[in-house]
């Protein structure tokens, strides 16, 4: 069974460009742990009452075991860099999603 480790982050406008550059370097570091097969960076298309811009990063893990190993071996170290760099200008929360089934369609 596969899982998605989803990180949703609201970024203050004052650091937006710097954060976007950083996250595009950070995602390959997370993938470099070997616990995820791919990641998707998306912008959440809602108007936030608190302002800023919201993004979602979805890391597709190989398994529950791989995700648990990420938490044990890598998560704290990788989270600290963003916290130090952006402190109170970034608000993030994390959720886990379990993939039940996947569907595709091909109209050729």
């Amino acid at each position: 069974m596969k899982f998605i480790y989803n990180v949703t982050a609201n970024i203050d406008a004052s650091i937006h460009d710097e954060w976007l550059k950083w996250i595009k370097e950070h995602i390959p570091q997370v993938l470099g742990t070997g616990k995820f097969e791919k990641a998707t960076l998306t912008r959440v298309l809602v108007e936030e009452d608190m302002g800023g811009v919201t993004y979602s990063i979805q890391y597709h893990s190989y398994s529950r075991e791989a995700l648990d190993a990420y938490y044990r071996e890598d998560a704290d170290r990788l989270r600290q860099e963003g916290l130090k760099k952006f402190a109170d200008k970034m608000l993030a929360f994390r959720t886990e999603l379990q993939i039940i089934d996947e569907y595709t369609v091909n109209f050729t």
Side-chain angles (χ1 to χ4, degrees), residues 2-16:
K2 293 186 179 180
F3 293 82
I4 296 172
Y5 172 61
N6 183 76
V7 180
T8 304
N10 179 268
I11 310 305
D12 188 273
S14 67
I15 58 144
H16 177 263

Side-chain angles (χ1 to χ4, degrees), residues 10 14 23 29 34-35 43 53-55 57 66 71 73 77 90 93 105:
N10 179 268
S14 67
I23 198 67
Q29 292 176 349
K35 276 74 170 198
R43 183 170 176 169
V53 181
T54 302
Y55 288 90
I57 305 99
Y71 291 141
E73 301 166 10
R77 172 179 51 84
M90 172 182 81
F93 68 91
V105 65

Side-chain angles (χ1 to χ4, degrees), residues 62-80:
Y62 291 106
S63 64
R64 174 82 250 177
E65 293 76 22
L67 185 54
D68 288 342
Y70 172 76
Y71 291 141
R72 274 192 319 274
E73 301 166 10
D74 309 293
D76 285 341
R77 172 179 51 84
L78 289 166
R79 286 179 189 168
Q80 288 308 311

Side-chain angles (χ1 to χ4, degrees), residues 33-51:
T33 66
K35 276 74 170 198
F36 302 97
E37 62 179 314
K38 68 178 182 176
T40 305
L41 172 63
T42 61
R43 183 170 176 169
V44 180
L45 300 178
V46 296
E47 278 293 318
E48 293 289 353
D49 291 339
M50 67 176 102

